Amino acid sequence: MTDNTSTAATLVGASVWEQELYDHLTSHVEREKEVLLEYAEAAAETQSKAFAYVVGLLIEDERRHHQLFASLAETLATEAEFRADEPAVPYMDFNRVDGQKVRELTRRLLRNEEDDAGDLKRLHHLLRDVKDTTLWDLVVGLMRRDTDKHIAVLEFVLHHTQ
């Protein structure tokens, strides 16, 4: 872990663990800014439309990662300093609300994702003839990974609503 104590804020009342975690999260946010800039420069420098497209996909993910790390850091600061604000990353409240409704909705969404997984698998198979001449195979492969991630998220919700 990089020592960023000079650039990270000191949390008032935070434990050593909370401060170390906060420092790690905020230093990652700073590194993500540099990575985003590097990706943008790479996309601007190339004459390859395919490379610029692929880098654009990576930029979208890196922006989301940047926001997630910033939200985690803000949530940690809210908790450590006992702020009255709602945390950016909410508490797990699946069982403090209508758990049965959450499970019902989650199962419905999970079925949709599982259907999508099957469709994407079939589509991926259909694209095998163009996998070395187009970006289509890559794009569908990324969507399959996203669908796997969506399924994992929904299974997490089901696991925590029992």
Side-chain angles (χ1 to χ4, degrees), residues 37-56:
L37 186 59
E38 192 169 345
Y39 275 124
E41 289 171 357
E45 288 176 22
T46 187
Q47 292 182 353
S48 168
K49 291 179 183 178
F51 183 67
Y53 179 84
V54 169
V55 170

Side-chain angles (χ1 to χ4, degrees), residues 1 10 18 24-25 29 36 39 48 55-56 60 66 79 94 98 100 107 109 113 117 120 132-133 138 144-145 151-152:
M1 178 166 40
T10 300
E18 289 169 324
H24 179 79
L25 293 170
V29 167
L36 277 168
Y39 275 124
S48 168
V55 170
E60 290 175 16
H66 179 84
E79 293 294 312
F94 305 129
D98 185 350
Q100 182 176 346
R107 284 188 186 109
L109 296 172
E113 291 294 339
L120 288 167
D132 295 323
T133 58
L138 171 68
R144 287 183 72 184
R145 288 180 183 96
I151 289 170

Side-chain angles (χ1 to χ4, degrees), residues 21 26 28 51 61 101 111 129 144:
L21 181 57
T26 55
H28 194 88
F51 183 67
D61 280 351
K101 182 66 173 178
R111 281 191 301 274
D129 290 341
R144 287 183 72 184

